Amino acid sequence: MKDADWERLLRQSLASAAEPEEKLNESIIHQLKERSQMKHRHRKRLSAGLLAAVLILVLSVSAYAATRLYSAKQVAEHLSNQPLAHAFESKSAIQTNQSIASGDYLFTLHGLVSGAGLSEFKHSSENIYPERTYAVISITRQDGKPMRNTDDPEYAKDPFFISPLIKGQKPWEVNIVTMNGAYSEDVIDGVMYRLIECSQVEMFADRGVYLAVSSGTAFFSKEAFAYDEKTGEIQPREDYSGATALFNLPLDVAKADHAKAEAYLKELRKPSSSPDNGAEEEEGVTRMKVLRAKIRDGQTIDGIISESIKKVTYDNSGNMKYTHDDWSVATSPKEYFKEGQIGYSDNFTISGDGSSYKALLFHKDENGVITGRIVVVD
């Protein structure tokens, strides 16, 4: 299954009026963190039909200082994305710094910016839709307790859905997943920050665009938000057991492009030509979990392709680069290794066709030398 087919599969899982199965939703979202930072030649990472299982968990700081929140620019800098940091302080950026309290949390939308070529890390869809929207959101607990650090074994038990939603469009059909989205996140001083990106939303400015946040799920939930079929309005549900927030994005209506938006929606809703590959994805997720467990337990990693073992090189921005056959990666070492960490990173990419799978692993020795290698995953 080609990369485009995989993206269509994600869309297809949302296309019906029924809400997608939660198990599949959780698997997809948790394994697709920051797809944009992995750039494989000819899209090899997804050409065999599974996913780019890159769990980006950047170095966390344990001290809690809720009185000081980072700006959108500072968050981008922390995530080693200097070009985007500059974009967040440009005249075209929108500084919102709006907060909404709900349930156990306080959600703050710090700012957003749209444009082409703004990020250090290119998303695969930029070849088709070069203009993208980036936004920074922070999450704090109202009781003053720090958010779980990304290296906490319980970290994944507190999922959040954060996504633009378009007024007049069914939110289970049009959201960050179907809009070629991705995100990075980290916990800094007890505050969770998430940098999201997707196809630019300014083309929908005349319709109205929301930024939705909900706790308890990594995917859009009809239990958290209500959609009015007649008016196209979206509202948080008061009876939702978790926390919800809905920000109205202050976009410039003059930047709306109705024809472009309609063409985009038409392309987004194209049905996939691929059959249902649910069992295939489930198998891939299972193998990914087994491999990650081996790495964390310090077990021997079998199936390494010897000729793929190569030292990474670095570009002028300090990003490490690795290339072997059709695999090509350019990303910050911070996305894989914490300060002082040696051995294998348990963040990796995996792809497969339902019967065979390969993963790209990075290893750092005691001298700080990082090597990459391809592993055949049993």
Side-chain angles (χ1 to χ4, degrees):
M1 181 168 60
K2 297 181 179 180
D3 191 13
D5 292 331
W6 170 250
E7 292 176 358
R8 292 193 190 101
L9 178 61
L10 292 178
R11 297 173 185 174
Q12 188 180 36
S13 71
L14 306 174
S16 66
E19 188 172 348
E21 291 186 15
E22 190 66 21
K23 185 175 181 181
L24 176 58
N25 292 336
E26 297 293 336
S27 297
I28 292 173
I29 295 297
H30 284 301
Q31 312 315 325
L32 285 180
K33 287 186 179 179
E34 194 49 61
R35 297 177 62 208
S36 62
Q37 298 191 14
M38 305 305 297
K39 301 187 291 184
H40 290 210
R41 288 181 182 173
H42 309 300
R43 298 181 179 179
K44 173 64 176 180
R45 59 190 171 94
L46 296 180
S47 63
L50 180 65
L51 48 88
V54 186
L55 299 184
I56 304 302
L57 302 179
V58 190
L59 175 64
S60 300
V61 181
S62 60
Y64 183 48
T67 57
R68 179 182 181 274
L69 293 178
Y70 276 32
S71 67
K73 173 180 179 285
Q74 290 172 318
V75 172
E77 289 177 332
H78 179 81
L79 295 172
S80 303
N81 201 329
Q82 194 61 46
L84 187 57
H86 290 313
F88 272 123
E89 62 177 1
S90 67
K91 292 182 179 180
S92 61
I94 300 173
Q95 308 299 333
T96 52
N97 296 313
Q98 179 184 358
S99 297
I100 296 177
S102 177
D104 295 332
Y105 303 101
L106 179 68
F107 305 110
T108 300
L109 172 60
H110 295 262
L112 63 152
V113 66
S114 298
L118 301 183
S119 176
E120 178 80 19
F121 308 106
K122 187 176 180 181
H123 191 282
S124 60
S125 70
E126 290 185 55
N127 295 325
I128 304 174
Y129 304 107
E131 294 187 346
R132 295 179 70 73
T133 293
Y134 304 84
V136 171
I137 305 92
S138 68
I139 304 174
T140 58
R141 291 186 58 89
Q142 295 205 68
D143 60 10
K145 294 180 181 179
M147 300 293 289
R148 299 181 195 271
N149 288 329
T150 55
D151 57 359
D152 188 319
E154 303 292 307
Y155 176 75
K157 291 188 176 182
D158 297 321
F160 294 91
F161 169 70
I162 303 178
S163 171
L165 300 176
I166 314 301
K167 182 178 178 180
Q169 302 300 314
K170 296 176 181 178
W172 53 88
E173 290 184 355
V174 183
N175 55 55
I176 190 170
V177 176
T178 60
M179 296 179 71
N180 305 298
Y183 68 86
S184 299
E185 69 182 24
D186 192 13
V187 177
I188 311 169
D189 296 341
V191 179
M192 177 186 289
Y193 293 91
R194 182 176 292 190
L195 168 62
I196 69 166
E197 62 172 293
C198 64
S199 298
Q200 72 97 348
V201 299
E202 288 181 329
M203 58 182 162
F204 299 104
D206 58 338
R207 309 178 187 220
V209 182
Y210 308 96
L211 192 286
V213 187
S214 61
S215 66
T217 177
F219 198 77
F220 175 79
S221 172
K222 291 182 179 179
E223 294 180 356
F225 298 99
Y227 175 68
D228 190 316
E229 295 275 357
K230 294 182 179 179
T231 67
E233 294 281 356
I234 301 171
Q235 296 290 339
R237 291 188 181 275
E238 295 182 359
D239 58 350
Y240 182 56
S241 59
T244 59
L246 200 65
F247 299 90
N248 282 290
L249 299 185
L251 302 177
D252 185 353
V253 177
K255 294 183 178 181
D257 189 328
H258 190 78
K260 183 178 180 180
E262 284 299 307
Y264 180 84
L265 291 172
K266 182 178 180 180
E267 181 67 24
L268 181 150
R269 294 195 176 97
K270 280 186 177 180
S272 172
S273 59
S274 302
D276 181 9
N277 293 286
E280 178 181 314
E281 289 123 27
E282 186 70 24
E283 175 66 19
V285 170
T286 299
R287 296 196 189 193
M288 181 198 66
K289 290 179 179 179
V290 171
L291 178 58
R292 180 167 289 112
K294 286 184 177 181
I295 292 172
R296 290 178 173 174
D297 293 342
Q299 299 180 32
T300 300
I301 304 301
D302 299 318
I304 296 175
I305 300 174
S306 58
E307 60 268 26
S308 71
I309 302 176
K310 301 176 183 178
K311 291 182 181 179
V312 302
T313 58
Y314 296 87
D315 61 21
N316 294 333
S317 299
N319 294 318
M320 63 182 188
K321 301 174 69 176
Y322 172 86
T323 301
H324 177 73
D325 289 342
D326 289 335
W327 296 73
S328 182
V329 173
T331 188
S332 170
K334 293 181 181 180
E335 307 295 353
Y336 288 86
F337 299 98
K338 300 175 184 177
E339 185 176 354
Q341 178 184 348
I342 61 173
Y344 285 107
S345 168
D346 61 4
N347 299 329
F348 54 84
T349 307
I350 187 170
S351 65
D353 60 4
S355 59
S356 63
Y357 296 83
K358 291 181 181 179
L360 169 58
L361 303 184
F362 288 107
H363 180 277
K364 181 191 285 187
D365 66 19
E366 60 275 8
N367 297 317
V369 177
I370 300 176
T371 54
R373 73 278 324 273
I374 308 299
V375 177
V376 177
V377 184
D378 292 332

